[in-house]
């Protein structure tokens, strides 16, 4: 599919109500597919200024190209839906690409990549009331905790209140927790050791006044063999996040194998993967998406 940017702009300028109208007529579906699994393509990176893929710093900056890749991915059998910010979801609504798909709104994108305030992940995206108003199916939020940054407490508190707001509306919210810190150059790094991921799961699971609608979105640990013990930390349902995979086919194949093993664990219900599927090393989006679906 070739995206006609001029038509999207025409609708946005002359008939902005078209977004809400498209959301209202969108055909909805259950969160999980018939096999009880969930395969989501993520595209909320640009709103945090994270546009790079491998050595291409602005790979995700071309919106028409990104939309074409998303539409292709969403058309593949076994792909259940998409996670994105309002601008991208609005475009996809106008393109008619979200009918019968799970739609997840990205809620906090305030921790801009590389900023001095990166760990202050404020809620600058979808609110719970927006997700409900538009008839979307779930929300997602990022929770990075730095034990050396007092601001992490504010992030935890705002995360808990967002979980409360979603639970009050009976809407699932996917919490993506990390124990994070800055290296010698001041760059934020997520700790993927078994101990750190275990702690992040324990902390995230206890946030809010109810966990009834809380899901976890977790990385595979540095040593994939640790995942069984790590995921035993909580009974909350979880999906695996893809993260940024290296630029070679070998690295991408290695990521698939890590996901394959973790997907066998009882609490893990699916995958949420973005750049590694939309911008694969060999450029073949269809093959990358179909391989990921096959892991489920």
């Amino acid at each position: 599919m070739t995206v006609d940017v001029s038509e999207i702009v025409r609708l946005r300028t002359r008939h902005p109500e078209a977004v809400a109208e498209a959301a209202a007529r969108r055909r909805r579906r259950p969160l999980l597919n018939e096999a009880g699994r969930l395969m989501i393509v993520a595209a909320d990176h640009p709103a945090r200024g994270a546009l790079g893929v491998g050595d291409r710093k602005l790979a995700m900056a071309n919106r028409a190209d990104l939309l074409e890749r998303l539409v292709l991915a969403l058309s593949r059998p076994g792909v259940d839906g998409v996670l994105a910010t309002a601008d991208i979801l609005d475009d996809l609504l106008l393109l008619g690409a979200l009918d019968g798909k799970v739609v997840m709104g990205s809620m906090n994108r305030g921790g801009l990549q590389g900023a001095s305030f990166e760990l202050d992940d404020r809620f600058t995206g979808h609110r719970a009331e927006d997700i409900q108003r538009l008839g979307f199916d779930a929300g997602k939020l990022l929770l990075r905790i730095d034990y050396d940054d007092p601001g992490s407490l504010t992030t935890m508190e705002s995360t808990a209140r967002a979980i409360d707001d979603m639970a009050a509306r009976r809407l699932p919210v996917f919490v993506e927790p990390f124990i994070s810190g800055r290296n010698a150059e001041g760059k934020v790094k997520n700790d993927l050791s078994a101990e750190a991921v275990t702690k992040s799961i324990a902390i995230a699971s206890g946030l809010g006044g109810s966990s009834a609608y809380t899901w976890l979105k977790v990385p595979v640990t540095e040593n994939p063999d640790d995942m069984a013990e790590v995921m035993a930390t909580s009974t909350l349902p979880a999906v695996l996040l893809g993260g940024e995979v290296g630029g070679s086919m070998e690295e991408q194949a290695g990521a698939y194998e890590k996901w394959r093993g973790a997907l066998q664990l009882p609490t893990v219900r699916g995958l949420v993967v973005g750049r590694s599927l939309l911008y694969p090393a060999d450029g073949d989006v269809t093959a990358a998406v179909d391989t990921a679906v096959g892991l489920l």
Side-chain angles (χ1 to χ4, degrees):
M1 175 183 182
T2 301
V3 171
D4 186 348
V5 172
S6 62
E7 176 60 16
I8 293 177
V9 175
R10 186 190 70 79
L11 287 170
R12 284 183 172 277
T13 53
R14 298 194 176 190
H15 188 56
E17 297 82 5
V19 172
E21 292 168 1
R25 63 174 178 265
R26 182 179 72 89
R27 179 170 53 86
R28 298 183 64 178
R29 48 152 283 178
L31 182 68
L32 299 179
N33 60 31
E34 292 181 356
R37 293 290 199 167
L38 187 63
M39 175 68 204
I40 299 292
V41 177
D44 60 343
H45 314 83
R48 206 170 61 79
L51 298 167
V53 179
D55 59 357
R56 293 172 290 168
K57 293 183 178 180
L58 298 176
M60 299 187 77
N62 186 312
R63 183 51 56 89
D65 177 62
L66 173 58
L67 291 172
E68 288 172 1
R69 291 169 184 268
L70 280 168
V71 171
L72 174 57
L74 286 166
S75 73
R76 300 305 301 164
V79 174
D80 296 299
V82 63
L83 158 65
T85 46
D87 56 331
I88 292 175
L89 293 183
D90 291 349
D91 284 342
L92 292 172
L93 282 169
L94 294 175
L95 291 169
L98 299 182
D99 195 38
K101 297 295 181 181
V102 171
V103 181
M104 298 173 59
S106 187
M107 302 177 75
N108 63 327
R109 298 280 82 187
L112 302 183
Q113 186 181 56
S116 62
F117 52 84
E118 182 171 350
L119 287 169
D120 188 353
D121 283 314
R122 301 202 181 186
F123 285 73
T124 58
H126 287 97
R127 302 165 299 175
E129 54 261 45
D130 299 322
I131 294 171
Q132 182 182 50
R133 171 177 51 84
L134 291 163
F136 292 163
D137 305 291
K140 171 259 178 182
L141 58 88
L142 176 61
L143 172 63
R144 292 178 294 181
I145 299 169
D146 183 350
Y147 277 66
D148 295 322
D149 184 348
S152 290
L153 184 58
T154 302
T155 302
M156 284 180 61
E157 183 178 21
S158 58
T159 295
R161 299 294 77 80
I163 290 171
D164 289 339
D165 289 344
M166 292 292 282
R169 293 167 172 80
R170 299 183 178 181
L171 287 169
V173 58
F174 289 70
V175 181
E176 182 179 350
F178 290 101
I179 303 299
S180 304
R182 293 186 182 273
N183 61 18
E185 291 75 38
K187 185 176 181 180
V188 173
K189 291 290 187 180
N190 297 324
D191 188 343
L192 299 184
S193 67
E195 180 180 353
V197 177
T198 297
K199 285 184 177 180
S200 71
I201 290 174
I203 293 166
S205 298
L207 293 176
S210 171
S211 65
Y213 294 90
T214 305
W215 286 60
L216 298 173
K217 181 171 178 273
V218 299
V220 177
T221 49
E222 290 172 340
N223 183 352
D225 293 338
D226 294 329
M227 281 299 288
E229 186 173 355
V230 167
M231 295 309 297
T233 308
S234 175
T235 58
L236 297 184
V239 292
L240 303 177
L241 65 93
E244 186 172 4
V245 177
S248 70
M249 291 300 294
E250 291 76 14
E251 289 171 306
Q252 190 147 345
Y256 289 142
E257 287 307 307
K258 289 182 179 180
W259 300 337
R260 187 191 308 276
L263 283 166
Q264 308 307 313
L265 299 173
T267 61
V268 178
R269 309 310 303 162
L271 282 169
V272 178
V273 188
R275 288 170 287 188
S276 58
L277 299 188
L278 295 173
Y279 299 87
D282 63 355
D284 192 340
V285 175
T286 297
V289 171
D290 290 352
T291 301
V293 169
L295 300 178
L296 298 174

